[in-house]
Amino acid sequence: MSILKDINSKVNPQFFEEHQRKIYQSLEDKHTTIEEIDSDDPLNSKMILNMGPQHPATHGVLRLVLQLKGEQIEKTKLDVGYLHRGVEKIAENKTYQEFMPYTDRMDYLSPYSNNVALCTAVEKLAQVEVPERAQYIRMIGCELARISSHLLWLGTMVMDAGAISFFIWTFKEREKIYDIFDQVAGHRFTVSHSRIGGVANDLTDSATGLIKEFINSFPNELADWHKLLDRNRLFIDRNENVGVLPTDQALDLGATGPVLRAAGYAVDQRIISPYLKYDQVDFEVPTRMEGDNLARYFVRMEEMQESIKIIRQCLEKMPKGPVRTNNAKQAYPSKDEVYYSMEGMIHDFMMTDTGICPPAGAECYHAVESPKGELGYYIQSDGTGHPWRLKINAPSFRNLQVLENILDGEMVADTVVIIGGIDPVMGEADK
Amino acid sequence: MSLELTESVQKLVDGLTESYSEKLIEVYNASGHTYIRVEADALLDIVKFAKEEYHFIFLSDIIGVDRYTSEERFEVLYNILNLRTQDRIFLKVRVPEEEPVLESLFSVYRSANWLEREVYDMFGIRFNNHPDPRRVYMPDDFQYFPLRKEFPLLGIPGSIELPNTTPDTE
């Protein structure tokens, strides 16, 4: 009696019956051919394994339905949607500025990049001029967010590969970044520091001091980690030739960010469509050809190095001046104006009530390079203060689609490391 | 035309005018990107043409829009990149409310798989020849399309079954 001829007769879903049956059905249908399964399989080595959704190793709420033969994965199906909060629907019912805190909670490992993505898109749509200093502050924030996100990836990925204490060392460094954000924005985690028309407040001296201290000490830590991992036999054996994404498939499957760059394509929004002041600073886009988990590791490690380089240049080049546009129809006035002048209070009220109104019929797409890849906002305006349609092009979602394809043929023990290497954030993938 | 197009987009538009002139509805620029609206029935051919002849090899996103008008209610945008010249174009098609069906791009870009599932999930636009036409975010038992404008912000009470609180005692 074969176990896999008809999975659906074997399962008994209690909840969302149609959904569960369809996902098993799609597993049977994958690659269109269902091979005849031999009935004399005394060890019962064929099985369907559900991984997740509520397991820490599945990085949030990700469910994988794996068809195994012994220890090898034959087919994989991913089930996302457990976190789906409908943020696009929410965005259509909020003003642009009101939506900002929601973006923090999308990719919650790098909130600053999400803020900047929304801001730059709205600014492009409504043609808001942003002062130069604000743009440099945003760049510093974005790069710190990139380091912070990659640190968490590094900690968890190495933990997935079996080394626990590493996680604590990367978190020690992340803690410093939280302290910086605390000084810069007044929040440690979900910062909402970037505002339409500029940033919420200028860098204080103590914040600048912390950033300088961080960029001086962090490269040493990074060098230590390189020493520990780069030639570590265990680490390399776990990662080399694991989860290989061939170069020709990377584009076809829509990979983005470090996953795409590790497969040989140097696609980086900071280079191909420079935003903020990225055309003023000098940095490299790390790229590898192998496309395996080890290549992704090297790409991300080198990206952290480049981020430090960018922050250093930003601190040097940052001019003095205002941090928010002076046009009261486009940005919130400063709190001084709100408390001590009538106009300021009226403008504050107007910004909260209707917000910025891009012209009717305007549409725009703007993408930034978030730590996970191309994070784009497509906005259509109908002339009111809230978007008619706001679509988020989430990099984690696209990388998860890659995951569904590269897991086939891998060992089941490597699943967790491969998920770690893809670095999905379900808050963003599920939107 | 007074449009300012980059070189590779200009070439693409010229190529399209030559081969698909009756399928081309409008070409315009908005916020620095070029939008090309085409007839829905020629979409697959045009995408293939752009990919093979003009190197637009990367499908970045598929965007559904509910225009909420009586005719041609939905709009679907395809965000496509030319990685050689780094140009981004948006191909746009419109579909009516009664029979919202488009041709799947899976045969051209495999990344269209999930992206099209998302558009189906949110707007109910179906895709012909899609390899795996399930919903992606909502459970398949869910009967509504949440990003349509008539779907209430608070949701429809009772539309999602909640798990029972007593554990299975099998």
Side-chain angles (χ1 to χ4, degrees):
Chain A
M1 186 56 213
S2 102
I3 174 173
L4 291 174
K5 269 242 172 89
D6 177 18
I7 310 169
N8 263 318
S9 69
K10 303 270 187 292
V11 292
N12 178 27
Q14 305 274 313
F15 174 56
F16 287 152
E17 189 175 348
E18 194 186 333
H19 181 71
Q20 309 292 8
R21 288 199 186 284
K22 271 199 181 172
I23 196 168
Y24 288 117
Q25 181 65 44
S26 73
L27 189 66
E28 280 178 35
D29 292 348
K30 196 174 177 186
H31 315 319
T32 58
T33 50
I34 312 176
E35 59 270 49
E36 208 43 51
I37 291 152
D38 50 344
S39 49
D40 44 2
D41 177 16
L43 289 176
N44 234 354
S45 60
K46 287 234 177 200
M47 66 184 283
I48 305 292
L49 181 71
N50 275 282
M51 276 186 78
Q54 303 272 352
H55 192 272
T58 53
H59 290 244
V61 275
L62 172 67
R63 174 186 176 200
L64 297 105
V65 187
L66 311 167
Q67 178 182 321
L68 306 178
K69 183 179 186 192
E71 284 193 60
Q72 202 172 28
I73 302 170
E74 288 191 322
K75 304 171 188 173
T76 322
K77 278 284 165 180
L78 259 60
D79 191 9
V80 295
Y82 288 88
L83 258 175
H84 188 65
R85 295 163 291 186
V87 290
E88 286 173 8
K89 188 85 177 173
I90 294 171
E92 288 168 14
N93 291 280
K94 295 222 170 285
T95 66
Y96 294 97
Q97 185 61 59
E98 271 175 339
F99 185 59
M100 192 69 68
Y102 289 86
T103 62
D104 284 323
R105 286 148 184 86
M106 300 260 308
D107 179 358
Y108 38 77
L109 301 181
S110 59
Y112 212 109
S113 306
N114 297 259
N115 293 162
V116 171
L118 176 64
C119 282
T120 42
V122 175
E123 280 153 10
K124 204 166 166 186
L125 186 72
Q127 287 157 357
V128 178
E129 287 282 330
V130 184
E132 207 169 316
R133 186 175 175 84
Q135 303 204 14
Y136 278 109
I137 294 177
R138 281 180 183 180
M139 272 167 74
I140 294 174
C142 280
E143 295 308 320
L144 284 174
R146 185 183 320 278
I147 296 174
S148 162
S149 168
H150 283 355
L151 283 178
L152 191 115
W153 152 80
L154 180 64
T156 51
M157 209 269 280
V158 177
M159 187 166 69
D160 291 339
I164 308 289
S165 52
F166 207 90
F167 183 69
I168 298 173
W169 303 339
T170 61
F171 249 73
K172 204 178 91 197
E173 294 304 306
R174 281 199 91 204
E175 201 63 30
K176 292 179 190 163
I177 297 179
Y178 283 157
D179 288 342
I180 293 172
F181 278 133
D182 198 3
Q183 293 285 329
V184 170
H187 299 261
R188 291 169 67 79
F189 195 55
T190 47
V191 289
S192 288
H193 183 243
S194 183
R195 296 286 158 87
I196 291 156
V199 292
N201 37 33
D202 204 348
L203 291 182
T204 56
D205 287 345
S206 62
T208 320
L210 278 180
I211 295 172
K212 279 186 179 147
E213 204 183 304
F214 179 75
I215 58 173
N216 286 331
S217 68
F218 183 68
N220 297 332
E221 294 284 334
L222 206 55
D224 281 353
W225 298 340
H226 270 297
K227 259 186 237 162
L228 179 67
L229 293 175
D230 279 6
R231 284 156 24 115
N232 186 323
R233 182 49 46 210
L234 286 174
F235 183 72
I236 289 178
D237 282 352
R238 282 308 302 274
N239 285 288
E240 202 172 18
N241 292 323
V242 165
V244 181
L245 177 65
T247 310
D248 54 332
Q249 281 188 31
L251 286 182
D252 204 18
L253 288 169
T256 179
V259 180
L260 180 60
R261 289 196 283 275
Y265 289 94
V267 181
D268 189 319
Q269 299 302 315
R270 294 175 293 179
I271 299 286
I272 70 171
S273 54
Y275 52 99
L276 300 179
K277 293 284 172 193
Y278 276 111
D279 47 352
Q280 308 279 320
V281 293
D282 172 43
F283 63 100
E284 307 272 320
V285 178
T287 313
R288 296 268 157 164
M289 292 304 290
E290 297 87 5
D292 59 358
N293 235 15
L294 196 65
R296 282 171 217 138
Y297 158 80
F298 281 121
V299 164
R300 291 205 179 93
M301 289 296 265
E302 282 159 28
E303 271 183 21
M304 286 197 265
Q305 194 73 47
E306 296 302 318
S307 292
I308 292 287
K309 214 160 106 187
I310 295 174
I311 295 172
R312 198 163 275 145
Q313 290 175 53
C314 287
L315 286 173
E316 273 166 24
K317 291 192 172 170
M318 197 160 63
K320 292 223 172 351
V323 292
R324 212 184 296 110
T325 174
N326 211 11
N327 186 337
K329 301 273 180 262
Q330 295 179 333
Y332 273 101
S334 74
K335 282 286 173 270
D336 279 352
E337 290 168 76
V338 180
Y339 294 149
Y340 301 113
S341 85
M342 197 62 198
E343 289 77 16
M345 202 181 77
I346 293 170
H347 283 136
D348 190 70
F349 178 81
M350 293 295 285
M351 275 306 287
T352 309
D353 188 48
T354 41
I356 190 167
C357 297
E363 59 190 316
C364 112
Y365 176 82
H366 189 263
V368 303
E369 189 69 25
S370 88
K372 313 282 183 296
E374 174 192 347
L375 171 64
Y377 279 76
Y378 170 80
I379 307 175
Q380 264 189 16
S381 169
D382 60 346
T384 60
H386 36 248
W388 174 255
R389 173 82 175 107
L390 188 146
K391 168 76 166 74
I392 303 155
N393 183 6
S396 295
F397 183 68
R398 286 162 56 197
N399 284 339
L400 278 179
Q401 179 169 209
V402 176
L403 182 67
E404 189 174 69
N405 292 282
I406 61 174
L407 274 177
D408 300 351
E410 296 290 339
M411 304 301 279
V412 69
D414 289 333
T415 325
V416 174
V417 187
I418 298 172
I419 301 172
I422 295 285
D423 191 23
V425 172
M426 295 313 288
E428 182 181 63
D430 277 2
K431 290 187 281 203
Chain B
M1 273 197 287
S2 62
L3 273 175
E4 280 185 33
L5 303 176
T6 57
E7 201 180 322
S8 76
V9 178
Q10 184 66 58
K11 270 188 201 155
L12 172 73
V13 172
D14 290 344
L16 285 178
T17 340
E18 214 168 276
S19 314
Y20 295 94
S21 57
E22 70 278 16
K23 300 290 182 192
L24 213 57
I25 299 172
E26 58 175 337
V27 181
Y28 64 95
N29 268 354
S31 306
H33 289 126
T34 307
Y35 294 76
I36 302 172
R37 207 176 118 212
V38 299
E39 297 281 2
D41 53 359
L43 176 72
L44 192 65
D45 294 337
I46 287 177
V47 168
K48 252 186 209 147
F49 180 70
K51 183 184 179 187
E52 278 155 20
E53 309 282 322
Y54 296 95
H55 205 72
F56 282 84
I57 53 169
F58 190 54
L59 175 68
S60 176
D61 200 8
I62 299 179
I63 301 158
V65 181
D66 185 357
R67 298 169 64 239
Y68 210 52
T69 51
S70 53
E71 52 185 36
E72 297 186 314
R73 174 164 171 187
F74 300 109
E75 200 166 70
V76 179
L77 285 96
Y78 296 85
N79 177 350
I80 302 173
L81 264 165
N82 178 339
L83 285 184
R84 204 173 282 156
T85 58
Q86 277 115 28
D87 281 309
R88 197 187 282 279
I89 56 157
F90 289 82
L91 283 178
K92 214 175 201 188
V93 291
R94 286 190 181 163
V95 269
E97 183 179 355
E98 302 80 48
E99 192 60 18
V101 184
L102 279 172
E103 204 58 41
S104 170
L105 292 194
F106 183 76
S107 55
V108 191
Y109 308 103
R110 267 163 77 200
S111 53
N113 185 346
W114 280 29
L115 301 172
E116 280 172 0
R117 278 172 68 191
E118 188 190 347
V119 174
Y120 166 67
D121 194 0
M122 293 294 143
F123 295 95
I125 299 167
R126 292 192 312 280
F127 291 88
N128 275 339
N129 301 324
H130 192 282
D132 187 14
R134 287 177 299 130
R135 308 189 72 140
V136 65
Y137 291 134
M138 310 306 290
D140 278 289
D141 315 47
F142 191 72
Q143 289 161 4
Y144 310 92
F145 299 109
L147 274 180
R148 288 190 176 184
K149 288 284 176 188
E150 79 266 13
F151 188 85
L153 185 63
L154 290 174
I156 292 170
S159 59
I160 287 195
E161 166 202 9
L162 294 174
N164 55 3
T165 47
T166 46
D168 288 349
T169 50
E170 272 188 297

